[in-house]
PDB file of all heavy atoms in Angstrom:
ATOM      1  N   ILE A   1      -3.594   3.909   8.870  1.00 96.00           N
ATOM      2  CA  ILE A   1      -4.853   3.591   8.172  1.00 96.00           C
ATOM      3  C   ILE A   1      -5.510   4.843   7.641  1.00 96.00           C
ATOM      4  O   ILE A   1      -5.944   4.929   6.488  1.00 96.00           O
ATOM      5  CB  ILE A   1      -5.808   2.818   9.118  1.00 96.00           C
ATOM      6  CG1 ILE A   1      -5.256   1.419   9.404  1.00 96.00           C
ATOM      7  CG2 ILE A   1      -7.204   2.739   8.521  1.00 96.00           C
ATOM      8  CD1 ILE A   1      -5.944   0.712  10.557  1.00 96.00           C
ATOM      9  N   GLN A   2      -5.540   5.899   8.461  1.00 96.00           N
ATOM     10  CA  GLN A   2      -6.134   7.174   8.068  1.00 96.00           C
ATOM     11  C   GLN A   2      -5.357   7.766   6.885  1.00 96.00           C
ATOM     12  O   GLN A   2      -5.957   8.258   5.914  1.00 96.00           O
ATOM     13  CB  GLN A   2      -6.129   8.130   9.227  1.00 96.00           C
ATOM     14  CG  GLN A   2      -6.816   9.457   8.880  1.00 96.00           C
ATOM     15  CD  GLN A   2      -6.898  10.364  10.114  1.00 96.00           C
ATOM     16  OE1 GLN A   2      -6.479  10.054  11.200  1.00 96.00           O
ATOM     17  NE2 GLN A   2      -7.409  11.558   9.884  1.00 96.00           N
ATOM     18  N   GLN A   3      -4.029   7.701   6.897  1.00 96.00           N
ATOM     19  CA  GLN A   3      -3.211   8.258   5.830  1.00 96.00           C
ATOM     20  C   GLN A   3      -3.485   7.538   4.507  1.00 96.00           C
ATOM     21  O   GLN A   3      -3.687   8.168   3.477  1.00 96.00           O
ATOM     22  CB  GLN A   3      -1.735   8.184   6.170  1.00 96.00           C
ATOM     23  CG  GLN A   3      -1.328   9.145   7.260  1.00 96.00           C
ATOM     24  CD  GLN A   3       0.069   8.898   7.754  1.00 96.00           C
ATOM     25  OE1 GLN A   3       0.678   7.888   7.447  1.00 96.00           O
ATOM     26  NE2 GLN A   3       0.617   9.839   8.520  1.00 96.00           N
ATOM     27  N   TYR A   4      -3.559   6.224   4.554  1.00 97.00           N
ATOM     28  CA  TYR A   4      -3.810   5.458   3.307  1.00 97.00           C
ATOM     29  C   TYR A   4      -5.243   5.709   2.827  1.00 97.00           C
ATOM     30  O   TYR A   4      -5.493   5.722   1.612  1.00 97.00           O
ATOM     31  CB  TYR A   4      -3.570   3.964   3.515  1.00 97.00           C
ATOM     32  CG  TYR A   4      -2.065   3.609   3.512  1.00 97.00           C
ATOM     33  CD1 TYR A   4      -1.444   3.277   4.690  1.00 97.00           C
ATOM     34  CD2 TYR A   4      -1.345   3.685   2.386  1.00 97.00           C
ATOM     35  CE1 TYR A   4      -0.099   2.969   4.707  1.00 97.00           C
ATOM     36  CE2 TYR A   4       0.017   3.408   2.356  1.00 97.00           C
ATOM     37  CZ  TYR A   4       0.651   3.025   3.547  1.00 97.00           C
ATOM     38  OH  TYR A   4       1.983   2.760   3.548  1.00 97.00           O
ATOM     39  N   THR A   5      -6.150   5.907   3.730  1.00 96.00           N
ATOM     40  CA  THR A   5      -7.555   6.157   3.339  1.00 96.00           C
ATOM     41  C   THR A   5      -7.737   7.502   2.707  1.00 96.00           C
ATOM     42  O   THR A   5      -8.452   7.644   1.725  1.00 96.00           O
ATOM     43  CB  THR A   5      -8.470   6.035   4.595  1.00 96.00           C
ATOM     44  OG1 THR A   5      -8.299   4.752   5.194  1.00 96.00           O
ATOM     45  CG2 THR A   5      -9.907   6.258   4.247  1.00 96.00           C
ATOM     46  N   GLU A   6      -7.049   8.501   3.228  1.00 96.00           N
ATOM     47  CA  GLU A   6      -7.234   9.877   2.779  1.00 96.00           C
ATOM     48  C   GLU A   6      -6.355  10.347   1.664  1.00 96.00           C
ATOM     49  O   GLU A   6      -6.691  11.289   0.961  1.00 96.00           O
ATOM     50  CB  GLU A   6      -7.076  10.808   3.981  1.00 96.00           C
ATOM     51  CG  GLU A   6      -8.140  10.633   5.050  1.00 96.00           C
ATOM     52  CD  GLU A   6      -7.942  11.480   6.273  1.00 96.00           C
ATOM     53  OE1 GLU A   6      -6.912  12.202   6.370  1.00 96.00           O
ATOM     54  OE2 GLU A   6      -8.814  11.418   7.168  1.00 96.00           O
ATOM     55  N   SER A   7      -5.171   9.698   1.479  1.00 96.00           N
ATOM     56  CA  SER A   7      -4.239  10.188   0.481  1.00 96.00           C
ATOM     57  C   SER A   7      -4.249   9.388  -0.806  1.00 96.00           C
ATOM     58  O   SER A   7      -4.062   8.187  -0.791  1.00 96.00           O
ATOM     59  CB  SER A   7      -2.817  10.187   1.065  1.00 96.00           C
ATOM     60  OG  SER A   7      -1.873  10.507   0.064  1.00 96.00           O
ATOM     61  N   ASP A   8      -4.432  10.111  -1.933  1.00 95.00           N
ATOM     62  CA  ASP A   8      -4.328   9.448  -3.217  1.00 95.00           C
ATOM     63  C   ASP A   8      -2.869   9.195  -3.606  1.00 95.00           C
ATOM     64  O   ASP A   8      -2.630   8.389  -4.482  1.00 95.00           O
ATOM     65  CB  ASP A   8      -5.013  10.312  -4.289  1.00 95.00           C
ATOM     66  CG  ASP A   8      -6.535  10.347  -4.118  1.00 95.00           C
ATOM     67  OD1 ASP A   8      -7.075   9.412  -3.544  1.00 95.00           O
ATOM     68  OD2 ASP A   8      -7.111  11.337  -4.603  1.00 95.00           O
ATOM     69  N   GLU A   9      -1.942   9.890  -2.989  1.00 96.00           N
ATOM     70  CA  GLU A   9      -0.506   9.734  -3.304  1.00 96.00           C
ATOM     71  C   GLU A   9       0.072   8.506  -2.676  1.00 96.00           C
ATOM     72  O   GLU A   9       1.069   7.967  -3.199  1.00 96.00           O
ATOM     73  CB  GLU A   9       0.295  10.945  -2.849  1.00 96.00           C
ATOM     74  CG  GLU A   9       0.288  12.092  -3.850  1.00 96.00           C
ATOM     75  CD  GLU A   9      -0.953  12.958  -3.708  1.00 96.00           C
ATOM     76  OE1 GLU A   9      -1.240  13.410  -2.561  1.00 96.00           O
ATOM     77  OE2 GLU A   9      -1.624  13.181  -4.696  1.00 96.00           O
ATOM     78  N   LEU A  10      -0.474   8.038  -1.590  1.00 97.00           N
ATOM     79  CA  LEU A  10       0.040   6.863  -0.918  1.00 97.00           C
ATOM     80  C   LEU A  10      -0.524   5.614  -1.555  1.00 97.00           C
ATOM     81  O   LEU A  10      -1.717   5.509  -1.793  1.00 97.00           O
ATOM     82  CB  LEU A  10      -0.352   6.854   0.595  1.00 97.00           C
ATOM     83  CG  LEU A  10       0.528   7.689   1.487  1.00 97.00           C
ATOM     84  CD1 LEU A  10      -0.142   7.761   2.887  1.00 97.00           C
ATOM     85  CD2 LEU A  10       1.905   7.189   1.570  1.00 97.00           C
ATOM     86  N   HIS A  11       0.345   4.670  -1.836  1.00 97.00           N
ATOM     87  CA  HIS A  11      -0.072   3.366  -2.439  1.00 97.00           C
ATOM     88  C   HIS A  11       0.107   2.271  -1.408  1.00 97.00           C
ATOM     89  O   HIS A  11       1.101   2.261  -0.670  1.00 97.00           O
ATOM     90  CB  HIS A  11       0.830   3.060  -3.666  1.00 97.00           C
ATOM     91  CG  HIS A  11       0.778   4.114  -4.714  1.00 97.00           C
ATOM     92  ND1 HIS A  11      -0.166   4.125  -5.716  1.00 97.00           N
ATOM     93  CD2 HIS A  11       1.540   5.216  -4.909  1.00 97.00           C
ATOM     94  CE1 HIS A  11       0.006   5.184  -6.472  1.00 97.00           C
ATOM     95  NE2 HIS A  11       1.072   5.857  -5.988  1.00 97.00           N
ATOM     96  N   LEU A  12      -0.805   1.332  -1.369  1.00 98.00           N
ATOM     97  CA  LEU A  12      -0.732   0.211  -0.459  1.00 98.00           C
ATOM     98  C   LEU A  12      -1.029  -1.059  -1.302  1.00 98.00           C
ATOM     99  O   LEU A  12      -2.114  -1.199  -1.845  1.00 98.00           O
ATOM    100  CB  LEU A  12      -1.749   0.320   0.673  1.00 98.00           C
ATOM    101  CG  LEU A  12      -1.643  -0.745   1.743  1.00 98.00           C
ATOM    102  CD1 LEU A  12      -0.299  -0.676   2.477  1.00 98.00           C
ATOM    103  CD2 LEU A  12      -2.795  -0.621   2.772  1.00 98.00           C
ATOM    104  N   GLU A  13      -0.002  -1.884  -1.419  1.00 97.00           N
ATOM    105  CA  GLU A  13      -0.123  -3.089  -2.234  1.00 97.00           C
ATOM    106  C   GLU A  13       0.302  -4.283  -1.437  1.00 97.00           C
ATOM    107  O   GLU A  13       1.015  -4.153  -0.402  1.00 97.00           O
ATOM    108  CB  GLU A  13       0.682  -2.929  -3.535  1.00 97.00           C
ATOM    109  CG  GLU A  13       0.189  -1.760  -4.360  1.00 97.00           C
ATOM    110  CD  GLU A  13       0.923  -1.596  -5.672  1.00 97.00           C
ATOM    111  OE1 GLU A  13       1.915  -2.278  -5.911  1.00 97.00           O
ATOM    112  OE2 GLU A  13       0.472  -0.759  -6.483  1.00 97.00           O
ATOM    113  N   GLY A  14      -0.125  -5.439  -1.875  1.00 96.00           N
ATOM    114  CA  GLY A  14       0.212  -6.626  -1.124  1.00 96.00           C
ATOM    115  C   GLY A  14       0.476  -7.834  -2.011  1.00 96.00           C
ATOM    116  O   GLY A  14       0.277  -7.767  -3.231  1.00 96.00           O
ATOM    117  N   TYR A  15       0.991  -8.865  -1.431  1.00 96.00           N
ATOM    118  CA  TYR A  15       1.287 -10.099  -2.095  1.00 96.00           C
ATOM    119  C   TYR A  15       0.489 -11.231  -1.495  1.00 96.00           C
ATOM    120  O   TYR A  15       0.484 -11.402  -0.279  1.00 96.00           O
ATOM    121  CB  TYR A  15       2.771 -10.439  -2.026  1.00 96.00           C
ATOM    122  CG  TYR A  15       3.107 -11.717  -2.724  1.00 96.00           C
ATOM    123  CD1 TYR A  15       3.264 -11.730  -4.121  1.00 96.00           C
ATOM    124  CD2 TYR A  15       3.268 -12.906  -2.022  1.00 96.00           C
ATOM    125  CE1 TYR A  15       3.537 -12.932  -4.758  1.00 96.00           C
ATOM    126  CE2 TYR A  15       3.527 -14.086  -2.688  1.00 96.00           C
ATOM    127  CZ  TYR A  15       3.666 -14.080  -4.040  1.00 96.00           C
ATOM    128  OH  TYR A  15       3.923 -15.272  -4.692  1.00 96.00           O
ATOM    129  N   GLU A  16      -0.283 -11.948  -2.319  1.00 93.00           N
ATOM    130  CA  GLU A  16      -1.059 -13.091  -1.847  1.00 93.00           C
ATOM    131  C   GLU A  16      -0.452 -14.376  -2.385  1.00 93.00           C
ATOM    132  O   GLU A  16       0.020 -14.433  -3.536  1.00 93.00           O
ATOM    133  CB  GLU A  16      -2.495 -12.970  -2.312  1.00 93.00           C
ATOM    134  CG  GLU A  16      -3.311 -11.945  -1.578  1.00 93.00           C
ATOM    135  CD  GLU A  16      -4.782 -11.912  -1.982  1.00 93.00           C
ATOM    136  OE1 GLU A  16      -5.076 -12.135  -3.163  1.00 93.00           O
ATOM    137  OE2 GLU A  16      -5.598 -11.667  -1.105  1.00 93.00           O
ATOM    138  N   GLY A  17      -0.527 -15.401  -1.570  1.00 87.00           N
ATOM    139  CA  GLY A  17      -0.105 -16.733  -1.959  1.00 87.00           C
ATOM    140  C   GLY A  17      -1.061 -17.752  -1.391  1.00 87.00           C
ATOM    141  O   GLY A  17      -1.370 -17.674  -0.185  1.00 87.00           O
ATOM    142  N   GLU A  18      -1.527 -18.660  -2.210  1.00 82.00           N
ATOM    143  CA  GLU A  18      -2.437 -19.708  -1.776  1.00 82.00           C
ATOM    144  C   GLU A  18      -3.623 -19.137  -1.021  1.00 82.00           C
ATOM    145  O   GLU A  18      -4.068 -19.666   0.006  1.00 82.00           O
ATOM    146  CB  GLU A  18      -1.695 -20.728  -0.922  1.00 82.00           C
ATOM    147  CG  GLU A  18      -0.537 -21.421  -1.647  1.00 82.00           C
ATOM    148  CD  GLU A  18       0.229 -22.389  -0.760  1.00 82.00           C
ATOM    149  OE1 GLU A  18      -0.243 -22.759   0.300  1.00 82.00           O
ATOM    150  OE2 GLU A  18       1.322 -22.787  -1.209  1.00 82.00           O
ATOM    151  N   GLY A  19      -4.189 -18.045  -1.548  1.00 86.00           N
ATOM    152  CA  GLY A  19      -5.377 -17.435  -1.003  1.00 86.00           C
ATOM    153  C   GLY A  19      -5.176 -16.669   0.303  1.00 86.00           C
ATOM    154  O   GLY A  19      -6.158 -16.283   0.961  1.00 86.00           O
ATOM    155  N   GLN A  20      -3.931 -16.430   0.689  1.00 92.00           N
ATOM    156  CA  GLN A  20      -3.660 -15.762   1.945  1.00 92.00           C
ATOM    157  C   GLN A  20      -2.795 -14.506   1.650  1.00 92.00           C
ATOM    158  O   GLN A  20      -1.878 -14.572   0.833  1.00 92.00           O
ATOM    159  CB  GLN A  20      -2.900 -16.659   2.926  1.00 92.00           C
ATOM    160  CG  GLN A  20      -2.506 -15.994   4.243  1.00 92.00           C
ATOM    161  CD  GLN A  20      -1.663 -16.869   5.135  1.00 92.00           C
ATOM    162  OE1 GLN A  20      -0.948 -17.712   4.654  1.00 92.00           O
ATOM    163  NE2 GLN A  20      -1.709 -16.609   6.388  1.00 92.00           N
ATOM    164  N   LEU A  21      -3.111 -13.411   2.319  1.00 96.00           N
ATOM    165  CA  LEU A  21      -2.272 -12.218   2.221  1.00 96.00           C
ATOM    166  C   LEU A  21      -0.993 -12.484   3.005  1.00 96.00           C
ATOM    167  O   LEU A  21      -1.055 -12.686   4.235  1.00 96.00           O
ATOM    168  CB  LEU A  21      -3.014 -10.990   2.757  1.00 96.00           C
ATOM    169  CG  LEU A  21      -2.335  -9.667   2.623  1.00 96.00           C
ATOM    170  CD1 LEU A  21      -2.087  -9.322   1.126  1.00 96.00           C
ATOM    171  CD2 LEU A  21      -3.163  -8.565   3.277  1.00 96.00           C
ATOM    172  N   ILE A  22       0.133 -12.413   2.340  1.00 96.00           N
ATOM    173  CA  ILE A  22       1.433 -12.801   2.963  1.00 96.00           C
ATOM    174  C   ILE A  22       2.247 -11.538   3.352  1.00 96.00           C
ATOM    175  O   ILE A  22       2.888 -11.539   4.363  1.00 96.00           O
ATOM    176  CB  ILE A  22       2.241 -13.657   2.009  1.00 96.00           C
ATOM    177  CG1 ILE A  22       1.549 -15.009   1.846  1.00 96.00           C
ATOM    178  CG2 ILE A  22       3.662 -13.833   2.508  1.00 96.00           C
ATOM    179  CD1 ILE A  22       2.139 -15.926   0.799  1.00 96.00           C
ATOM    180  N   GLY A  23       2.125 -10.495   2.528  1.00 97.00           N
ATOM    181  CA  GLY A  23       2.895  -9.299   2.803  1.00 97.00           C
ATOM    182  C   GLY A  23       2.254  -8.090   2.217  1.00 97.00           C
ATOM    183  O   GLY A  23       1.371  -8.166   1.376  1.00 97.00           O
ATOM    184  N   LEU A  24       2.708  -6.896   2.704  1.00 97.00           N
ATOM    185  CA  LEU A  24       2.236  -5.667   2.130  1.00 97.00           C
ATOM    186  C   LEU A  24       3.375  -4.672   2.024  1.00 97.00           C
ATOM    187  O   LEU A  24       4.378  -4.785   2.686  1.00 97.00           O
ATOM    188  CB  LEU A  24       1.036  -5.082   2.896  1.00 97.00           C
ATOM    189  CG  LEU A  24       1.183  -4.573   4.351  1.00 97.00           C
ATOM    190  CD1 LEU A  24       2.015  -3.328   4.496  1.00 97.00           C
ATOM    191  CD2 LEU A  24      -0.213  -4.300   4.902  1.00 97.00           C
ATOM    192  N   LEU A  25       3.126  -3.688   1.150  1.00 98.00           N
ATOM    193  CA  LEU A  25       4.142  -2.694   0.847  1.00 98.00           C
ATOM    194  C   LEU A  25       3.437  -1.369   0.642  1.00 98.00           C
ATOM    195  O   LEU A  25       2.529  -1.270  -0.238  1.00 98.00           O
ATOM    196  CB  LEU A  25       4.905  -3.079  -0.425  1.00 98.00           C
ATOM    197  CG  LEU A  25       5.962  -2.178  -0.985  1.00 98.00           C
ATOM    198  CD1 LEU A  25       7.131  -2.070  -0.040  1.00 98.00           C
ATOM    199  CD2 LEU A  25       6.431  -2.696  -2.329  1.00 98.00           C
ATOM    200  N   GLY A  26       3.719  -0.364   1.448  1.00 97.00           N
ATOM    201  CA  GLY A  26       3.158   0.969   1.273  1.00 97.00           C
ATOM    202  C   GLY A  26       4.239   1.916   0.793  1.00 97.00           C
ATOM    203  O   GLY A  26       5.348   1.894   1.315  1.00 97.00           O
ATOM    204  N   TYR A  27       3.908   2.775  -0.162  1.00 98.00           N
ATOM    205  CA  TYR A  27       4.948   3.662  -0.708  1.00 98.00           C
ATOM    206  C   TYR A  27       4.351   4.913  -1.261  1.00 98.00           C
ATOM    207  O   TYR A  27       3.118   4.995  -1.473  1.00 98.00           O
ATOM    208  CB  TYR A  27       5.773   2.930  -1.740  1.00 98.00           C
ATOM    209  CG  TYR A  27       5.016   2.450  -2.948  1.00 98.00           C
ATOM    210  CD1 TYR A  27       4.906   3.238  -4.100  1.00 98.00           C
ATOM    211  CD2 TYR A  27       4.339   1.216  -2.938  1.00 98.00           C
ATOM    212  CE1 TYR A  27       4.158   2.771  -5.201  1.00 98.00           C
ATOM    213  CE2 TYR A  27       3.649   0.757  -4.029  1.00 98.00           C
ATOM    214  CZ  TYR A  27       3.519   1.572  -5.168  1.00 98.00           C
ATOM    215  OH  TYR A  27       2.827   1.137  -6.235  1.00 98.00           O
ATOM    216  N   ILE A  28       5.189   5.867  -1.585  1.00 97.00           N
ATOM    217  CA  ILE A  28       4.825   7.139  -2.178  1.00 97.00           C
ATOM    218  C   ILE A  28       5.899   7.583  -3.154  1.00 97.00           C
ATOM    219  O   ILE A  28       7.081   7.336  -2.888  1.00 97.00           O
ATOM    220  CB  ILE A  28       4.553   8.189  -1.107  1.00 97.00           C
ATOM    221  CG1 ILE A  28       3.933   9.476  -1.697  1.00 97.00           C
ATOM    222  CG2 ILE A  28       5.782   8.476  -0.300  1.00 97.00           C
ATOM    223  CD1 ILE A  28       3.430  10.480  -0.630  1.00 97.00           C
ATOM    224  N   HIS A  29       5.502   8.227  -4.226  1.00 95.00           N
ATOM    225  CA  HIS A  29       6.458   8.842  -5.137  1.00 95.00           C
ATOM    226  C   HIS A  29       6.905  10.148  -4.487  1.00 95.00           C
ATOM    227  O   HIS A  29       6.054  11.048  -4.302  1.00 95.00           O
ATOM    228  CB  HIS A  29       5.855   9.092  -6.513  1.00 95.00           C
ATOM    229  CG  HIS A  29       5.527   7.805  -7.248  1.00 95.00           C
ATOM    230  ND1 HIS A  29       6.429   7.174  -8.054  1.00 95.00           N
ATOM    231  CD2 HIS A  29       4.432   7.020  -7.212  1.00 95.00           C
ATOM    232  CE1 HIS A  29       5.858   6.066  -8.532  1.00 95.00           C
ATOM    233  NE2 HIS A  29       4.645   5.948  -8.058  1.00 95.00           N
ATOM    234  N   THR A  30       8.187  10.277  -4.189  1.00 92.00           N
ATOM    235  CA  THR A  30       8.708  11.467  -3.514  1.00 92.00           C
ATOM    236  C   THR A  30       9.531  12.352  -4.433  1.00 92.00           C
ATOM    237  O   THR A  30      10.131  13.285  -3.977  1.00 92.00           O
ATOM    238  CB  THR A  30       9.530  11.045  -2.287  1.00 92.00           C
ATOM    239  OG1 THR A  30      10.441  10.032  -2.638  1.00 92.00           O
ATOM    240  CG2 THR A  30       8.607  10.547  -1.163  1.00 92.00           C
ATOM    241  N   GLY A  31       9.505  12.041  -5.702  1.00 84.00           N
ATOM    242  CA  GLY A  31      10.219  12.819  -6.706  1.00 84.00           C
ATOM    243  C   GLY A  31       9.898  12.245  -8.080  1.00 84.00           C
ATOM    244  O   GLY A  31       9.225  11.196  -8.162  1.00 84.00           O
ATOM    245  N   ALA A  32      10.388  12.890  -9.105  1.00 84.00           N
ATOM    246  CA  ALA A  32      10.084  12.445 -10.463  1.00 84.00           C
ATOM    247  C   ALA A  32      10.563  10.984 -10.681  1.00 84.00           C
ATOM    248  O   ALA A  32       9.869  10.195 -11.282  1.00 84.00           O
ATOM    249  CB  ALA A  32      10.734  13.354 -11.468  1.00 84.00           C
TER     250      ALA A  32
END
């Protein structure tokens, strides 16, 4: 939680279905 809050490089995205959060995906660009 702290890493996602503090880092602009880390992305946290999710998938919603029928008004519910079903999944999430956190990632970072580690090269070009």
Side-chain angles (χ1 to χ4, degrees):
I1 291 167
Q2 183 177 358
Q3 289 170 348
Y4 284 108
T5 302
E6 295 176 356
S7 173
D8 290 335
E9 275 83 52
L10 280 171
H11 302 272
L12 186 63
E13 298 183 353
Y15 179 80
E16 286 185 325
E18 300 179 15
Q20 178 186 26
L21 185 62
I22 293 173
L24 66 69
L25 177 68
Y27 62 93
I28 187 169
H29 292 270
T30 48

